[in-house]
Amino acid sequence: MTYRNFKEKVFEIIQPSAEGKLASRLFDLFIMFLILVSVVSVFIMTFDEIPRTILRCLREAECATILVFTVEYVLRIWTADLLYPELSPWRARLKFVCSPMAVIDLVAILPFYLPMLVSINLVGIRALRLVRLLRIFKLNRYSDAFLSIMEVFRGKIREIMVSLFIVFLLLIVASLFIFYAEHDAQPQQFSNAFSGLWWAVATLTTVGYGDIYPVTPIGRILGAIIALLGIGMAAVPTGILSAGFVELLEKRKKKEEEDSAGQDKPEEKGFFDGF
Amino acid sequence: MTYRNFKEKVFEIIQPSAEGKLASRLFDLFIMFLILVSVVSVFIMTFDEIPRTILRCLREAECATILVFTVEYVLRIWTADLLYPELSPWRARLKFVCSPMAVIDLVAILPFYLPMLVSINLVGIRALRLVRLLRIFKLNRYSDAFLSIMEVFRGKIREIMVSLFIVFLLLIVASLFIFYAEHDAQPQQFSNAFSGLWWAVATLTTVGYGDIYPVTPIGRILGAIIALLGIGMAAVPTGILSAGFVELLEKRKKKEEEDSAGQDKPEEKGFFDGF
Amino acid sequence: MTYRNFKEKVFEIIQPSAEGKLASRLFDLFIMFLILVSVVSVFIMTFDEIPRTILRCLREAECATILVFTVEYVLRIWTADLLYPELSPWRARLKFVCSPMAVIDLVAILPFYLPMLVSINLVGIRALRLVRLLRIFKLNRYSDAFLSIMEVFRGKIREIMVSLFIVFLLLIVASLFIFYAEHDAQPQQFSNAFSGLWWAVATLTTVGYGDIYPVTPIGRILGAIIALLGIGMAAVPTGILSAGFVELLEKRKKKEEEDSAGQDKPEEKGFFDGF
Amino acid sequence: MTYRNFKEKVFEIIQPSAEGKLASRLFDLFIMFLILVSVVSVFIMTFDEIPRTILRCLREAECATILVFTVEYVLRIWTADLLYPELSPWRARLKFVCSPMAVIDLVAILPFYLPMLVSINLVGIRALRLVRLLRIFKLNRYSDAFLSIMEVFRGKIREIMVSLFIVFLLLIVASLFIFYAEHDAQPQQFSNAFSGLWWAVATLTTVGYGDIYPVTPIGRILGAIIALLGIGMAAVPTGILSAGFVELLEKRKKKEEEDSAGQDKPEEKGFFDGF
C-alpha cells in the first residue's frame, strides 16, 4: 500500500460516512459512542459525592476520549488536502483549521492540554463538545431532513419573529396586570412584576408548575384569558410552520417536474465542508 | 441648509426607517431603547423596597424619556404636512393628531405634565406606552409578516369564534360536572362552580397548576376526558390557522402569476400613516 | 294587520335572524341574554351560603326565563306550519315537536311545571339548557363556519378514532409500567394501576397537575418518554385536522370553479329545521 | 353440512370481519370484550387488598378467557390452509404459526399452561395481550385510516428523527445549564444534572408537574427560554405531520385521477395476513 493510497483510505474512514462504506460508518459510530460517554460523564460529574473508583474510571475515559479526538483532529488536518483538492496542501489545511467545525473540535480538546485552564472552565468547554453531535447530520440520510427543517425556518423567520414579539408584548402586559391583581392577596408570591412575568411565562406556555398562581377572582379571570391565549400562541407558529412545510413540498415537486436532470447543489455541499 | 431642507431631513429621521437610511434607523433604535428602559423601570417600580439611589436613577430616566418623547411628538406634528402632502399644513397636522398612534403618543406623555393625575393612574398610562413597541412593525422588513398573520386571522375569524364558543360551552359543562363530582370530597377546593370553572380552564388549556384537581374516581374520569379534549381544542384552531396560512400562500402565488407587474398596495401604506 | 300577516311577523321574529332583520336579531339577543342569565344563576346556586335577597332574585329571574321560554315554545308550535309549508298544519306541528331542538326546548321548561321532579334533577335539566346556546349558530354568519368544522371532523373521523385508540393503548401500557416502577417507592401515591392511569392521562396530555409524579430513576425515564410522546399525540390529530381544513378549502375552490351558479344546499338547511 | 363447509364457516367467523357478516362481527366483538375484561382484571389485580370473592371472580374470568383464546388459536391453526390456499396445508399452518400475530396469541395463552412460570412474569405477558387490541384495525373501516397515519409517519421519519435529535440536544444543554444555575440555591431539588434533565423534560414538553422548578433569577430566565422553545418543539413535528397529511391527500387524488380502475393493493392485504 503506497503512502498516497493509505492517506486516501484514512481520509475515507474519518470523513462522515456515505452509505455502504462499512469502515467509515464504524468509525462514525465509535466517535458518537465516545461523545455519548463524555456527555454521560459530564452528567455524573455533577453528583456531590462520587465513589473513588467511578471517579478514576471517568478520568481514564476522559483521557482516552481526548486522545482519540486529538488523533482524529490531527488526521483531519493531515488529510485536509484531499477535502479541498483544488487548493494547495497548506492552504487546504489552513482553510480546514479555520472552518467552524474544526474550531469546535479544537476547543473540545485544547483545555486538556492547558492544565491551568482545566479547573476553571472545563465544564463550559465540555458543553461545547455537544456540538460535535451535529456530526450525525453528516450521515447522508439525515442531512437532507435537517436542511429542509432549516429551510422552512429561514423562509418563515419574519412571521416567527413577529409572533415571538406578540408573545413578549402579551407577557409584559399580563405580568403587570397579574401583579396588580394579586399583589395584595399574595404579597409573598407576587412580590414584584418579575414574579408576574414568571407566572405569565408558565401560563402562556401552558407549563403551569403550580409554584405561583392567581387566587383572587380578578386574577383568575386574567389567568384564564392568558391560558386560553396560550393555545392560540401555540397555534400561530404551528400554522406558520405547517404552511412552510407544505410550501417546501410543492416547491420541490415543481422543481422535479421542471428539470428531472439531477442538480448538484454545490452550496449545500459546501455547508458541510470540513465538518 | 434651508429651512425646507432641514424640515425634510428631520421628517426623514423621525419617520420609521426604510432599510438603508442610517440616521433614521439609529433614531428608531434609540426610541426602542427608551421604550425598553421605561418598561424595565415600570417592572422595577413594583418592588416593595427600592434603594434611594435606584429610585432617583429611575426618576431621572423617566424625565429624560418623557422629554425625548415630547420633542418627538412635537416634531411629528411639525412635519405632519410632509406626511400628508396632499392636505393643507394645518389639516395635515389635525389629521395626524387624531390618528390612533398620535393619540397613544400623547397619552403616554400627558400624565407627566398633569401632576395631579400622576399619582393616580401613572401605571395604567405607562402600560399604554407598550403600544409604542408596535412601532417596530414599521420597519419594512417585518410589517409584511405582521400583515400576513393579521390577514389569516381576519380570514378565519368565524371559524376561530366558533371554536372559542365550543370551548366556552365545554368549560361551562365541565365546571358544573366537576363541581357536583368533587364538592363533597373536597368542599374547600371545589367550594362552588366557579372553582370548577377555574379547574376546567387549567385542564382544558393543559396548564394544570395543581392547586385544584379531582380526587374522586368519577371526578378523575371527567378530568381525563376534559384533558384529552384539551388536545383536540388546541388541534382545531391550529388546523384552521394552518389551512389559512396555506391558503394565503396559494393566493399570493396566484396573484404573482396573474400580474407580475408590481402593485403599490396603497391601502397598506395608509395603514401605517402617522405611525 | 290581518291574522295571517301577524302570524308571519311573529314567525319572522322568532326564527333565528337572517342578517339585517332588526326585530328578529333583537329577539335572538334577548333569548341569548336569558340563557346567559340562567347559566350564571346555575353557577351562583352552587354556593353553599347564598344571601336571601340574591336567592329571591335568582328565583324570580328563573320564573321570568321559564315564562319567556314557554311563550317562545308555544309560538314556535303555532307557527310550525310556516316552517314546513309543504305539510298540512298539524303534520308540520308534529314534525316540529319531534325535532331534536324542540325536544330540548321542552325538556328545558318542563321540570318547572312538574313540581315533584323539580327538587330531584333540576340541575341536570338546567345543564341541558346549555344546548340552547347552539341557537347562536343559526345566525347566518356563523353557521357556515360551524358546518365547515363539522365537515372536517366528519371527513377525518376514522383517522381521529385511530389516533384516539393509539392514545388509549399508550395510556394502558404506560399506567401499568409506571405502577410497577413506582409502587414500591410511593405506595401511597401509586396505590394501584388506576392511579397510574390518572398519572398517564395528566402526563400524555401535558396537563401535569403535580399531585402524582414519578420519583424513581426508572419511573422518571418512563415519564420522560410518555411526556415526549405527548407532543406527538397532540401533533397527529392537529396534522390530520390541518390537512382536513386544507382539503376543504380546495374542494370549495374547485366547486366554485366548476359551477358558479349558486347551489341551494337543501340538506344543510334541513339540519337546522325547527331550531 | 359437510366437513369442508363447516371448516369454511368456522374460518369465516374467526377471520376479522368484513362489513356485513354478522357472525364474524359478533365473534370479533366477543373477543374484544374478553380482551377488555382481561385488561380491567390486570388493573384490578394491582390493588393491595382484593376481597376474596372478587379475586375468585377474576380468576374464573381469567380461566374462561384463556380457554376461549386457546380454542380460537387452535381453530386458526386448523383453518390456516384456507388463509394461504396456495400452500400445502402443513406449510400454511407453519407459516401461520410463525406470523407475528400468531406468536403474540401463543405468548398470551402459554403462561397459563406453564404453572411454574405463571407467578414470575404473568403480568408482563398479560401486557402483551394488549397487542391483540390491534385486531380492531382489521375491521375494514379503520385499517385504512391506520395505514394512512403509518404512511405519513414513514414518509416523514427522517424529519421526525432530526427534530427528536434537536430535542435531545436541547434537553442535555438545558439540564446542564439549569443544574449550574440552581444547584447552590436548591441543593436538594437540583442535586445533580439528572434532576436538571427531569426538569428540562417536564418544561420542554410543557407538562410542568411542579415538583422541581427554578427559583433563582438566572434559573427562571433559563426556564422561560426552555418553556418558550417548548412551544416551538411542538410546532415542528406538528408542521411536518400536517404537511405529510396534505401530501398524502394530494398523492391519493392524483392516483385516483390517473387510474380510476380499482387497484387491489395486494401488499397491504398481506400486512394483515394471519392476524
Side-chain angles (χ1 to χ4, degrees):
Chain A
M1 198 190 266
T2 66
Y3 168 78
R4 185 72 195 175
N5 271 9
F6 175 69
K7 192 171 181 178
E8 265 167 9
K9 196 94 192 167
V10 167
F11 175 70
E12 204 166 69
I13 289 170
I14 61 176
Q15 271 310 94
S17 64
E19 298 194 49
K21 299 266 171 84
L22 186 69
S24 178
R25 182 157 270 191
L26 282 178
F27 181 78
D28 279 355
L29 282 177
F30 176 59
I31 294 287
M32 276 165 64
F33 170 75
L34 284 183
I35 293 167
L36 207 76
V37 163
S38 121
V39 167
V40 170
S41 99
V42 170
F43 268 69
I44 291 173
M45 290 295 245
T46 63
F47 279 87
D48 279 336
E49 285 168 24
I50 314 166
R52 269 213 158 160
T53 48
I54 287 174
L55 208 65
R56 202 180 306 138
C57 254
L58 290 178
R59 271 190 200 140
E60 272 159 24
E62 176 73 13
C63 288
T65 307
I66 291 288
L67 194 70
V68 173
F69 285 172
T70 309
V71 170
E72 189 212 3
Y73 184 68
V74 170
L75 288 177
R76 275 186 197 279
I77 293 180
W78 178 48
T79 59
D81 50 342
L82 295 172
L83 188 68
Y84 308 104
E86 73 283 4
L87 298 175
S88 75
W90 293 108
R91 281 185 164 266
R93 270 157 208 163
L94 194 72
K95 192 178 172 188
F96 169 73
V97 168
C98 297
S99 70
M101 275 323 178
V103 169
I104 287 164
D105 280 8
L106 182 63
V107 167
I109 54 175
L110 208 62
F112 190 80
Y113 301 106
L114 298 170
M116 299 155 297
L117 288 177
V118 169
S119 59
I120 307 170
N121 57 357
L122 183 64
V123 174
I125 299 301
R126 262 183 190 142
L128 264 174
R129 205 172 296 157
L130 289 170
V131 188
R132 292 180 66 113
L133 278 167
L134 287 167
R135 182 186 302 265
I136 296 165
F137 294 123
K138 274 297 268 194
L139 304 175
N140 278 11
R141 298 185 302 157
Y142 292 104
S143 66
D144 214 46
F146 181 68
L147 284 173
S148 52
I149 291 177
M150 277 298 124
E151 197 180 328
V152 168
F153 262 96
R154 251 204 309 269
K156 298 290 167 193
I157 190 71
R158 286 174 194 183
E159 272 91 349
I160 292 166
M161 291 297 287
V162 166
S163 53
L164 251 178
F165 175 75
I166 296 171
V167 167
F168 278 120
L169 213 70
L170 216 61
L171 285 177
I172 289 169
V173 173
S175 56
L176 284 174
F177 276 25
I178 201 79
F179 169 75
Y180 288 110
E182 292 288 322
H183 180 60
D184 292 336
Q186 306 184 81
Q188 295 253 308
Q189 309 293 328
F190 288 89
S191 56
N192 55 62
F194 288 104
S195 308
L197 190 58
W198 175 241
W199 169 84
V201 169
T203 303
L204 203 66
T205 60
T206 75
V207 169
Y209 290 119
D211 55 337
I212 186 168
Y213 48 81
V215 295
T216 62
I218 194 85
R220 287 187 167 186
I221 291 168
L222 252 169
I225 293 167
I226 295 292
L228 288 168
L229 282 173
I231 291 180
M233 281 303 98
V236 172
T238 307
I240 291 168
L241 291 181
S242 294
F245 280 107
V246 171
E247 203 185 2
L248 184 73
L249 285 170
E250 280 173 9
K251 220 186 285 174
R252 285 196 180 164
K253 219 182 288 170
K254 219 178 173 181
K255 222 179 191 173
E256 274 174 34
E257 283 170 11
E258 278 176 5
D259 47 11
S260 343
Q263 285 174 307
D264 294 87
K265 295 181 201 159
E267 314 91 334
E268 281 174 23
K269 246 184 195 160
F271 180 78
F272 281 128
D273 275 0
F275 188 0
Chain B
M1 197 189 268
T2 66
Y3 168 79
R4 182 75 194 173
N5 272 10
F6 175 69
K7 192 171 182 179
E8 264 167 11
K9 197 93 193 169
V10 166
F11 175 71
E12 202 165 71
I13 289 170
I14 62 175
Q15 272 308 95
S17 64
E19 297 194 51
K21 298 266 172 83
L22 186 66
S24 178
R25 181 158 272 191
L26 281 178
F27 181 78
D28 278 356
L29 282 177
F30 176 59
I31 292 288
M32 275 166 65
F33 170 75
L34 284 183
I35 292 167
L36 206 76
V37 163
S38 122
V39 168
V40 171
S41 99
V42 170
F43 268 69
I44 291 173
M45 289 297 245
T46 62
F47 279 88
D48 280 336
E49 285 167 25
I50 312 167
R52 270 213 156 160
T53 47
I54 288 175
L55 208 65
R56 202 180 307 139
C57 255
L58 290 178
R59 272 190 198 140
E60 273 160 24
E62 176 73 14
C63 289
T65 307
I66 291 290
L67 193 71
V68 174
F69 285 171
T70 310
V71 170
E72 190 212 2
Y73 183 68
V74 170
L75 288 178
R76 274 185 197 280
I77 293 180
W78 178 48
T79 60
D81 50 343
L82 296 172
L83 188 69
Y84 308 104
E86 73 282 4
L87 297 175
S88 75
W90 292 107
R91 281 185 164 267
R93 269 156 210 163
L94 193 73
K95 190 177 175 188
F96 169 73
V97 167
C98 297
S99 71
M101 275 324 180
V103 170
I104 287 163
D105 280 7
L106 182 63
V107 167
I109 54 176
L110 208 63
F112 190 80
Y113 301 107
L114 298 170
M116 299 155 299
L117 288 177
V118 170
S119 59
I120 307 168
N121 58 357
L122 183 65
V123 174
I125 299 302
R126 262 184 191 139
L128 264 175
R129 204 171 296 156
L130 290 169
V131 188
R132 290 181 67 114
L133 278 167
L134 287 168
R135 182 186 303 266
I136 297 165
F137 293 122
K138 273 297 268 194
L139 304 176
N140 278 8
R141 297 185 302 156
Y142 292 104
S143 65
D144 214 45
F146 180 68
L147 285 173
S148 52
I149 291 176
M150 277 298 124
E151 197 180 329
V152 168
F153 263 95
R154 251 202 310 266
K156 298 289 166 192
I157 190 70
R158 286 174 194 183
E159 273 92 351
I160 292 166
M161 291 297 287
V162 167
S163 53
L164 250 178
F165 174 76
I166 296 171
V167 167
F168 279 121
L169 213 69
L170 216 61
L171 285 178
I172 288 168
V173 174
S175 56
L176 284 174
F177 276 25
I178 201 80
F179 169 75
Y180 288 109
E182 293 288 323
H183 179 60
D184 293 336
Q186 306 184 81
Q188 295 253 305
Q189 309 294 328
F190 288 90
S191 57
N192 54 64
F194 288 104
S195 309
L197 191 58
W198 175 239
W199 168 85
V201 169
T203 303
L204 203 67
T205 61
T206 76
V207 169
Y209 290 118
D211 55 337
I212 186 168
Y213 47 82
V215 295
T216 62
I218 195 85
R220 286 186 167 186
I221 291 168
L222 253 169
I225 293 167
I226 295 293
L228 287 168
L229 282 173
I231 292 180
M233 281 304 98
V236 171
T238 307
I240 291 168
L241 290 181
S242 294
F245 280 107
V246 171
E247 201 184 4
L248 184 74
L249 286 169
E250 279 172 12
K251 219 185 286 174
R252 284 196 180 163
K253 217 181 288 169
K254 219 178 173 181
K255 221 178 191 172
E256 274 174 34
E257 283 169 12
E258 278 175 4
D259 47 13
S260 344
Q263 285 174 307
D264 294 270
K265 294 178 199 161
E267 312 91 334
E268 282 174 22
K269 246 182 193 161
F271 180 79
F272 280 129
D273 275 3
F275 190 177
Chain C
M1 195 189 271
T2 65
Y3 169 78
R4 183 77 195 173
N5 272 10
F6 175 68
K7 192 170 183 180
E8 264 167 12
K9 197 95 192 166
V10 166
F11 175 70
E12 203 165 71
I13 289 170
I14 62 175
Q15 271 309 95
S17 64
E19 298 194 51
K21 298 265 172 82
L22 186 68
S24 178
R25 181 156 273 189
L26 280 178
F27 181 77
D28 279 355
L29 282 177
F30 176 58
I31 293 288
M32 276 165 64
F33 169 76
L34 284 184
I35 293 167
L36 207 76
V37 163
S38 121
V39 168
V40 170
S41 99
V42 170
F43 268 69
I44 291 172
M45 290 297 245
T46 63
F47 279 88
D48 279 337
E49 285 168 22
I50 313 167
R52 270 213 154 158
T53 48
I54 288 175
L55 208 65
R56 202 181 306 140
C57 255
L58 291 178
R59 272 190 198 141
E60 273 160 24
E62 177 71 15
C63 288
T65 307
I66 291 289
L67 192 69
V68 173
F69 285 171
T70 309
V71 170
E72 189 211 2
Y73 183 68
V74 169
L75 288 177
R76 274 185 198 283
I77 293 180
W78 179 47
T79 59
D81 51 343
L82 296 173
L83 188 68
Y84 308 104
E86 73 281 6
L87 297 175
S88 74
W90 292 107
R91 282 183 165 267
R93 267 157 211 162
L94 193 73
K95 192 177 174 188
F96 169 74
V97 167
C98 298
S99 70
M101 276 322 181
V103 169
I104 287 164
D105 280 8
L106 181 63
V107 166
I109 53 175
L110 206 63
F112 190 80
Y113 300 106
L114 299 169
M116 300 156 297
L117 288 176
V118 170
S119 59
I120 307 170
N121 58 357
L122 183 65
V123 175
I125 299 302
R126 260 183 192 141
L128 264 175
R129 204 173 297 157
L130 289 170
V131 189
R132 291 181 68 112
L133 278 167
L134 287 167
R135 182 186 302 265
I136 297 166
F137 294 122
K138 273 297 266 191
L139 303 175
N140 277 11
R141 296 185 303 155
Y142 292 105
S143 66
D144 213 45
F146 180 68
L147 284 174
S148 52
I149 291 176
M150 277 299 124
E151 196 180 330
V152 168
F153 262 95
R154 251 203 309 267
K156 298 290 166 192
I157 189 70
R158 286 175 193 184
E159 273 91 349
I160 291 166
M161 290 299 284
V162 167
S163 52
L164 250 178
F165 175 76
I166 295 171
V167 167
F168 279 120
L169 213 68
L170 217 61
L171 286 177
I172 288 169
V173 174
S175 57
L176 284 174
F177 277 25
I178 202 79
F179 169 75
Y180 288 109
E182 293 288 323
H183 179 59
D184 292 337
Q186 306 184 82
Q188 296 254 306
Q189 309 294 328
F190 288 89
S191 56
N192 55 63
F194 288 105
S195 309
L197 190 59
W198 175 240
W199 167 85
V201 168
T203 303
L204 203 67
T205 60
T206 77
V207 170
Y209 290 118
D211 56 337
I212 186 169
Y213 47 82
V215 294
T216 62
I218 195 83
R220 286 187 167 186
I221 290 168
L222 253 169
I225 293 167
I226 295 294
L228 287 169
L229 282 173
I231 292 181
M233 281 303 98
V236 171
T238 308
I240 291 168
L241 290 181
S242 294
F245 281 108
V246 170
E247 202 184 1
L248 184 74
L249 286 169
E250 280 172 11
K251 219 185 287 174
R252 285 197 180 163
K253 217 181 289 167
K254 219 177 171 182
K255 221 178 191 174
E256 274 175 33
E257 283 169 12
E258 278 176 4
D259 46 13
S260 342
Q263 285 173 305
D264 294 86
K265 296 178 202 163
E267 313 91 337
E268 282 174 21
K269 243 181 195 162
F271 180 78
F272 280 130
D273 274 4
F275 189 178
Chain D
M1 197 189 270
T2 66
Y3 169 80
R4 184 73 197 174
N5 271 12
F6 176 68
K7 192 171 182 179
E8 263 167 13
K9 196 96 193 165
V10 167
F11 174 70
E12 203 166 69
I13 289 170
I14 61 175
Q15 270 311 94
S17 64
E19 298 194 51
K21 298 265 171 82
L22 186 67
S24 177
R25 181 156 272 189
L26 282 178
F27 181 77
D28 280 355
L29 282 176
F30 177 58
I31 292 288
M32 275 166 63
F33 170 74
L34 285 184
I35 292 168
L36 207 77
V37 163
S38 116
V39 167
V40 170
S41 99
V42 170
F43 268 69
I44 290 172
M45 289 296 245
T46 63
F47 279 89
D48 280 336
E49 286 167 22
I50 313 167
R52 270 213 155 159
T53 47
I54 287 175
L55 208 65
R56 201 180 307 138
C57 254
L58 290 178
R59 272 190 200 141
E60 273 160 24
E62 177 72 14
C63 288
T65 307
I66 291 289
L67 193 69
V68 174
F69 285 171
T70 309
V71 169
E72 188 211 3
Y73 183 69
V74 170
L75 288 177
R76 274 184 197 281
I77 293 181
W78 178 47
T79 59
D81 50 343
L82 296 171
L83 187 68
Y84 308 104
E86 72 282 5
L87 296 176
S88 74
W90 293 107
R91 281 184 165 267
R93 269 156 208 164
L94 193 73
K95 191 177 174 188
F96 169 73
V97 167
C98 298
S99 71
M101 275 323 180
V103 169
I104 288 164
D105 280 8
L106 181 63
V107 166
I109 53 175
L110 207 63
F112 190 79
Y113 301 105
L114 299 170
M116 297 157 298
L117 288 176
V118 169
S119 59
I120 307 170
N121 57 358
L122 182 65
V123 174
I125 299 302
R126 261 183 191 142
L128 265 174
R129 205 172 296 157
L130 289 169
V131 188
R132 291 180 68 113
L133 278 167
L134 287 167
R135 182 186 302 265
I136 297 166
F137 294 123
K138 274 296 268 191
L139 305 175
N140 277 11
R141 296 185 304 155
Y142 292 105
S143 66
D144 213 46
F146 181 67
L147 284 173
S148 53
I149 292 177
M150 278 297 124
E151 195 180 329
V152 168
F153 262 96
R154 251 204 308 269
K156 298 290 165 192
I157 190 70
R158 286 174 193 184
E159 273 91 349
I160 291 167
M161 290 299 286
V162 167
S163 52
L164 250 179
F165 175 76
I166 296 170
V167 167
F168 279 120
L169 214 69
L170 216 62
L171 285 177
I172 288 168
V173 174
S175 56
L176 285 174
F177 277 25
I178 201 81
F179 169 75
Y180 287 109
E182 293 288 322
H183 179 60
D184 293 336
Q186 306 184 81
Q188 296 253 308
Q189 309 293 329
F190 288 90
S191 56
N192 55 63
F194 288 105
S195 309
L197 191 59
W198 174 241
W199 168 85
V201 169
T203 303
L204 203 67
T205 60
T206 76
V207 169
Y209 290 118
D211 55 337
I212 187 168
Y213 48 82
V215 295
T216 62
I218 195 86
R220 287 187 166 184
I221 291 168
L222 254 169
I225 293 167
I226 295 293
L228 287 168
L229 282 173
I231 292 180
M233 281 303 99
V236 171
T238 307
I240 291 168
L241 291 182
S242 295
F245 281 107
V246 171
E247 202 184 1
L248 183 74
L249 286 169
E250 280 172 11
K251 220 185 286 174
R252 285 197 180 163
K253 218 181 289 168
K254 220 179 171 180
K255 221 178 190 173
E256 274 175 33
E257 284 170 12
E258 278 175 6
D259 46 14
S260 344
Q263 286 173 305
D264 293 88
K265 296 180 201 162
E267 314 91 335
E268 282 174 21
K269 246 183 194 162
F271 180 78
F272 281 129
D273 275 2
F275 189 0

